[in-house]
Amino acid sequence: MRRVTPLASLLLAAAVVAPGGVASSVAAPTLAVGGSGALPQGVPSEAYLEALAHAHDHLSLESPRPVTVALSRRPSESFAIDGRAAGSAGPVASPGSAGGAFPAGASRQPAQAGATPAPGPTPTPGTTPTPGTTSTPGPTPTPGTTPAPAATGGPGREIYGFLPYWELGDPTMTLDYSVLSTIAYFGLTATADGTLQQLGSDGTPEAGWTGWQSGDLTSIIDAAHAQGTRVALTVERFAWDTTGTANSTALLSSPAAQATLIGQIVAQVVTRGVDGVNLDFEPVPAGQSANFVALVRSLRGALDAARPGLELVLDVTSDLGNYDVSALTAPGAADALFIMGYDYRGAGAANAASIDPLQSQAYYTDLTRAVGRYLALTTPGHLLLGLPYYGRAWSTVSNAPNAATLPQNDQNGYSVAAPYDVAAGLADTNGRQWDATETSAWTAYQKQNCATCPNVWRELYYDDAQALAARYQLVLSTNLRGTGMWALGYDGTRPELTALLHQVFGAAPPLPPTGAVSVTATGSPGNPANAFSPNGDGVADTVSLSWWVSEPMTGTIAVRTGTSTVWSAPVTASSGSVSWNGTRTAGTAVPDGTYGVVLSVKDARGNAVEQTASVIVNRVLGFLYTSPNRFYPQDGDAYARTTTIRYRLASAATSTLRVLNAAGAVVRTAWYARHTPAGTFTWTWDGRNAAGAMVPQGDCTV
């Protein structure tokens, strides 16, 4: 990109599509024409938004049936639950009533005879460990039954995953119990009077209640218990709007409503045979902090009275809000706080960017700061860092990193959350990119929302394995209790996120490495990130092929057409990049077209991983010049009133020529999608927009 000293500048670019449909563009010279803030507070959580969207689901699930397998805590766990040290036997439910748990003859899993509990977590220097961490004897098997062996293996830290009811019954969902320490079923709604909502406004059963009673969930609970994974009931009370705030305030300010809620929660936990409770009160309304602490302490006491060893976890927003962190994690309160480390940017964000920045220069807060704020108020063993298994897409003015977002409407489209499997699939198709500032993966693509709608850019930011690995290092470096995700099932059939949990948190035998490969070309706005034009004009003549893998390995990164390798380079480090200039290994130029980029590596154990991306070679657009580079049409005299834009096509193509301002918005379109033969073409611009008004002075892009 060439720059000149401007009175005000515009950058021009031309985009063309060759007959084969491959886009090409080049950066134009800068052309002279005449001479983000704090984190938005109160962004509703994705859990709340999705609960609204699924509120009227009608689920087709298996009929209710009781849980038949009890739980035994894994010896590998290094965190305390309800004052019980790692390796202590887990809770065992008594036989339930109708629809209850553990009928006569059901299997129970006691701790291994003679097993010595593993030591509890080591306190952080300068802190006082939570009292009462002496282990208690394991449960006695029901007479006449053969106990199943105790669970072994599993992660040392807590891995806490939310399972929304709308994921039940999905045949593609895979739950790896060996790496999950807790599954929190989401969930049941607490009403203003403290009852758990069972019926919707139309009189039909609430979908969350239907899922809670279903045989589908029973199968998950039994399978989880068999491998030492706990299941918890999530009770949600959202206060993101006026009505929700009023209902939350009514519940928390009423001792009678609190008592009703506690009684109903305990009854469901005991009857269903699960292992704990997750309270999702978000946010806590102003003036209700002390009442929320009272609710948590009373619930803790009621759970202990019903069955010792039940876990109590609270969901909290990353900005602290009205949560009295110290009181909520004091003895006799919650075991842990689940920091919802996401939704830093919502649908209304001014720029597309990470929804959970590990660190950020633009916002007052990020994950690193959020963890630091909580650590100032409680010990690491009380904190879980929750991370998103989803990303967010916005319509944007261009495909530049962190581009400004367009107004949301039917023409431009709306911002949406995308589950990880969808986000990763879009990145596979359109080219994965990397935001090193906020440690996030992203991709850009174009979309037309209707037949007469404009073709707009969409930018999608999400956490892939590389991004999550960096966030897990924050968990390890601060010695947190563990991590978790919203939500299980959002990775679909893709295995890389689960494999990463195994690798980082030491569950099960070593697995093949996890990795990613990306392609980045330095071109003009409007040019796909993985497209370049090696025609020797000095613009986008090379492309960067980058990789990242979770551990050291060796192998190659290659450019292929089909199964034939046209160029390759050795890989000897877990991350790096190489430059490719569009030639074969022998030095001859490759034809225009789309090529595969393949990373093939092995770790020291011989485990292999292969990751792929694509790169586009397109030399159709040869150059783009302006003369003069600086012009000043506003003064009305004869000097430098226009500029001439000139470009060359090596072959016939469909071309578009636009002028963009500094924010990436189109200020003038010379032509759009025009069939153009090979040759050199010019267009003279007088500095006016499509309405005939002079564009403002200032730096711009096209």
Side-chain angles (χ1 to χ4, degrees):
M1 184 180 298
R2 298 179 293 278
R3 288 200 174 272
V4 298
T5 303
L7 298 174
S9 63
L10 287 175
L11 176 65
L12 302 176
V16 300
V17 179
V22 178
S24 174
S25 64
V26 298
T30 299
L31 179 62
V33 185
S36 182
L39 171 71
Q41 299 300 300
V43 175
S45 72
E46 187 59 29
Y48 163 70
L49 297 175
E50 292 186 20
L52 286 180
H54 291 280
H56 301 291
D57 285 3
H58 294 282
L59 304 181
S60 178
L61 300 174
E62 296 178 14
S63 300
R65 52 187 172 82
V67 171
T68 59
V69 180
L71 170 77
S72 180
R73 286 192 64 186
R74 297 164 175 160
S76 61
E77 293 179 351
S78 63
F79 48 90
I81 294 178
D82 189 21
R84 300 161 73 90
S88 301
V92 174
S94 57
S97 56
F102 309 114
S107 169
R108 300 174 183 267
Q109 289 191 349
Q112 290 177 316
T116 302
T122 302
T124 301
T127 64
T128 302
T130 303
T133 56
T134 304
S135 62
T136 55
T140 302
T142 303
T145 64
T146 303
T152 59
R157 281 178 166 80
E158 184 160 18
I159 311 298
Y160 200 96
F162 283 90
L163 178 62
Y165 61 78
W166 49 86
E167 291 293 313
L168 290 177
D170 182 354
T172 67
M173 182 178 66
T174 301
L175 298 176
D176 188 341
Y177 302 105
S178 69
V179 78
L180 293 169
S181 55
T182 310
I183 295 173
Y185 171 78
F186 183 96
L188 302 182
T189 300
T191 64
D193 64 3
T195 57
L196 293 175
Q197 190 168 348
Q198 299 184 24
L199 298 177
S201 57
D202 60 357
T204 60
E206 277 282 290
W209 181 261
T210 300
W212 173 245
Q213 299 291 327
S214 69
D216 299 75
L217 183 60
T218 298
S219 297
I220 289 172
I221 297 171
D222 281 341
H225 283 177
Q227 297 195 46
T229 300
R230 288 179 299 278
V231 178
L233 166 63
T234 299
V235 176
E236 63 258 24
R237 176 62 264 155
F238 295 122
W240 290 112
D241 57 20
T242 303
T243 301
T245 299
N247 289 337
S248 292
T249 300
L251 169 58
L252 291 172
S253 59
S254 168
Q258 284 199 30
T260 298
L261 178 61
I262 290 168
Q264 294 205 3
I265 290 174
V266 172
Q268 290 303 316
V269 168
V270 171
T271 300
R272 202 68 174 94
V274 294
D275 318 296
V277 175
N278 173 273
L279 282 187
D280 188 16
F281 277 55
E282 54 172 279
V284 171
Q288 297 302 314
S289 178
N291 288 336
F292 185 59
V293 172
L295 171 66
V296 170
R297 296 188 67 84
S298 296
L299 177 57
R300 171 78 277 166
L303 291 172
D304 288 348
R307 193 200 316 160
L310 294 169
E311 185 181 30
L312 177 58
V313 174
L314 315 178
D315 302 336
V316 293
T317 56
S318 61
D319 63 352
L320 294 180
N322 296 315
Y323 300 101
D324 186 342
V325 173
S326 299
L328 291 171
T329 54
D335 291 294
L337 305 182
F338 183 97
I339 302 171
M340 295 183 290
Y342 31 78
D343 301 322
Y344 281 79
R345 292 177 175 92
N351 295 82
S354 172
I355 62 172
D356 65 328
L358 183 59
Q359 62 286 308
S360 176
Q361 298 174 351
Y363 282 72
Y364 105 100
T365 188
D366 50 42
L367 292 179
T368 303
R369 293 185 180 99
V371 169
R373 285 195 298 274
Y374 275 94
L375 285 174
L377 299 170
T378 190
T379 59
H382 285 113
L383 297 176
L384 297 161
L385 179 58
L387 299 169
Y389 268 21
Y390 65 93
R392 179 164 287 278
W394 295 266
S395 294
T396 55
V397 298
S398 71
N399 66 335
N402 307 131
T405 56
L406 290 168
Q408 297 188 73
N409 52 45
D410 291 343
Q411 294 289 304
N412 295 333
Y414 297 86
S415 176
V416 296
Y420 172 75
D421 61 336
V422 174
L426 286 168
D428 289 343
T429 301
N430 298 286
R432 172 194 180 269
Q433 302 193 60
W434 182 250
D435 179 354
T437 301
E438 296 190 346
T439 317
S440 176
W442 67 286
T443 189
Y445 53 95
Q446 290 189 296
K447 181 180 180 182
Q448 192 173 22
N449 291 292
C450 66
T452 59
C453 293
N455 201 26
V456 299
W457 281 106
R458 298 280 287 180
E459 287 192 358
L460 169 61
Y461 282 76
Y462 67 103
D463 285 358
D464 62 2
Q466 182 179 0
L468 288 171
R471 286 153 177 77
Y472 293 155
Q473 287 306 309
L474 176 61
V475 172
L476 298 176
S477 65
T478 54
N479 198 29
L480 301 187
R481 178 187 184 97
T483 188
M485 69 288 294
W486 178 270
L488 296 172
Y490 285 11
D491 52 351
T493 58
R494 298 182 73 104
E496 56 265 27
L497 301 190
T498 297
L500 180 66
L501 287 172
H502 280 285
Q503 292 161 8
V504 174
F505 297 104
L511 296 177
T514 299
V517 62
S518 60
V519 178
T520 304
T522 303
S524 63
N527 192 37
N530 62 335
F532 75 123
S533 54
N535 51 19
D537 66 353
V539 178
D541 282 334
T542 63
V543 67
S544 178
L545 312 179
S546 304
W547 69 87
W548 166 85
V549 193
S550 57
E551 57 186 275
M553 75 272 320
T554 58
T556 61
I557 186 167
V559 177
R560 295 180 183 173
T561 175
T563 59
S564 301
T565 297
V566 299
W567 178 91
S568 66
V571 170
T572 58
S574 58
S575 64
S577 64
V578 294
S579 180
W580 183 51
N581 63 0
T583 63
R584 298 181 177 86
T585 304
T588 57
V590 301
D592 286 3
T594 301
Y595 294 81
V597 179
V598 183
L599 175 71
S600 301
V601 293
K602 289 184 178 181
D603 64 13
R605 301 181 302 276
N607 292 319
V609 64
E610 185 170 283
Q611 296 288 330
T612 61
S614 63
V615 61
I616 299 170
V617 178
N618 188 353
R619 304 178 183 85
V620 173
L621 186 57
F623 63 79
L624 181 62
Y625 295 131
T626 61
S627 179
N629 281 349
R630 183 173 65 178
F631 74 116
Y632 196 180
Q634 287 92 341
D635 62 359
D637 62 20
Y639 175 72
R641 295 180 59 184
T642 63
T643 186
T644 299
I645 297 130
R646 180 178 289 103
Y647 69 93
R648 183 185 67 205
L649 297 180
S651 60
T654 300
S655 68
T656 296
L657 182 62
R658 288 168 167 163
V659 181
L660 314 180
N661 64 19
V666 176
V667 297
R668 184 67 182 272
T669 299
W671 53 78
Y672 177 77
R674 187 174 76 179
H675 178 72
T676 314
T680 300
F681 302 88
T682 61
W683 177 65
T684 299
W685 185 43
D686 58 4
R688 297 179 183 273
N689 60 24
M694 288 290 177
V695 301
Q697 299 182 31
D699 288 339
C700 302
T701 60
V702 173

